[in-house]
Amino acid sequence: MLDKRTWETQYQLIMALGTTGSRGDVELLKSLALQPRSATAVNTALGDAIVRLGREVDDDPAPALWCLRQDVEHLADGALRGVAMLRLKFSHTAIDDVLDYTEANFSDRNQKYLPYWPVVAAAGWSGPRVRGFLIRCSQDDRQIIAEAATEALNGRYGNHFSVL
């Protein structure tokens, strides 16, 4: 993990662990997530794996919210990718937390794809705040965000692809 040149291998190993691991691996993943690194893709994989393995019940928001609280953009991005890919249904309180984070942190145009996964995840959520968020995103000048929001407004998750 200390060799920056192996970031692609680290990413793939973490994603494999997220797919085949167990809840017992979450503490290791969290400890890795707390280490500073320049390879942002590794953080993305860590967020995704923490969400996949850290849930006590199917729609448990706790692992995703833990990732958001660390205030590391790509860790949050990976967590929200996991939420979207698993089509997790969150409580309105958890949805508010995700949207608060997204609106506060993913508006930087230099990080043009970071809003993608919260938009996709919102396809399975409801309520006026979600609808307002998706309407705003459907008018975004970034085609990938606008298209995902339009799909989500119609309750469809769309065709996912990696935006790394």
Side-chain angles (χ1 to χ4, degrees), residues 142-157:
R142 296 167 288 188
Q143 183 178 359
I144 187 175
I145 305 301
E147 288 176 0
T150 299
E151 290 287 313
L153 280 165
N154 292 306
R156 295 188 302 262
Y157 286 87

Side-chain angles (χ1 to χ4, degrees), residues 114-158:
L114 288 177
Y116 179 75
W117 290 114
V119 168
V120 173
W125 302 340
S126 63
R129 181 155 184 214
V130 172
R131 184 157 178 75
F133 169 72
L134 290 174
I135 289 170
R136 283 190 304 282
C137 290
S138 72
Q139 299 164 354
D140 199 286
D141 62 345
R142 296 167 288 188
Q143 183 178 359
I144 187 175
I145 305 301
E147 288 176 0
T150 299
E151 290 287 313
L153 280 165
N154 292 306
R156 295 188 302 262
Y157 286 87

